[in-house]
Amino acid sequence: MIDREQYTPGPANMARVQKDRGQNGEEKWTLVLVKQLRHSPEKVWQALTDPAHLREWAPFDADGSLGTAGTTVTLTTVGAPTLRVTETTVTRADAPEVLEYNWGDFDMRWELEAFGAGTRLTLWTNIGHRFIAMGAAGWHICFDVLDHLLSGTPIGRIAGPEAMKFPSWQRLNAEYAKQFGVEMPNWPPQAAQKS
């Protein structure tokens, strides 16, 4: 494992927002993140579906493989102030190209596309516009941690409140908020900042 103090995420350039209208006419926001990885789709697929790999980079733990459609898996948030346990059913698992499941309120769609000698990884997830910049900053860091893991230079999972302590997370949050045209929420809340 390399020293995580040496890790600094790059600029906020891997996420965008897609806005649609829901059935009731409400505005729906989808966060779309794209990362080029120097690894085969099969290797990336394993990192997205295998519980041991997910423990190294994802913001949740899984009690089983996400690699088979119809499988029910329990996902548990990591490091969140309130433990969030969600039972999910994998709705689509076309290895190594498309993976879909629901993580609580978030619909997750992963696409893996062979790109040169590596993989273009794309994540679509719905998220409320108030927290979309925070989500982009968090997933940005998770994708970087995933890239380090697959490259054989793991830096360890950085998720939840731990990610928010990184000065680079604050920068990413601000950059994504500006790109998306949203106000940055007061995070952490003032009461938490004083303690």
Side-chain angles (χ1 to χ4, degrees), residues 54-63 66 73-88 101-106 108 139 142 157-162 164:
L54 290 165
R55 276 192 295 278
E56 298 295 321
W57 71 272
F60 56 81
D61 286 330
D63 73 347
L66 293 166
V73 178
T74 300
L75 304 179
T76 306
T77 55
V78 174
T82 304
L83 189 63
R84 186 169 153 200
V85 179
T86 306
E87 193 170 274
T88 187
Y101 54 91
N102 181 276
W103 178 32
D105 299 330
F106 305 104
M108 310 289 289
W139 280 111
C142 286
R157 176 165 39 193
I158 304 171
E162 181 186 2
M164 293 177 188

Side-chain angles (χ1 to χ4, degrees), residues 38-148:
R38 299 172 304 243
H39 316 283
S40 70
E42 292 77 15
K43 189 172 182 178
V44 176
W45 178 266
Q46 184 176 13
L48 295 177
T49 59
D50 177 65
H53 283 87
L54 290 165
R55 276 192 295 278
E56 298 295 321
W57 71 272
F60 56 81
D61 286 330
D63 73 347
S65 173
L66 293 166
T68 305
T71 301
T72 299
V73 178
T74 300
L75 304 179
T76 306
T77 55
V78 174
T82 304
L83 189 63
R84 186 169 153 200
V85 179
T86 306
E87 193 170 274
T88 187
T89 300
V90 178
T91 54
R92 186 169 176 191
D94 300 334
E97 297 168 354
V98 180
L99 177 64
E100 294 179 357
Y101 54 91
N102 181 276
W103 178 32
D105 299 330
F106 305 104
D107 295 322
M108 310 289 289
R109 177 180 171 87
W110 301 88
E111 286 190 9
L112 296 80
E113 178 185 351
F115 185 77
T119 302
R120 176 184 290 130
L121 176 63
T122 305
L123 167 64
W124 282 267
T125 183
N126 60 305
I127 190 167
H129 74 277
R130 285 190 54 224
F131 301 103
I132 202 153
M134 293 172 64
W139 280 111
H140 184 122
I141 290 172
C142 286
F143 276 30
D144 283 355
V145 171
L146 171 62
D147 193 27
H148 276 277

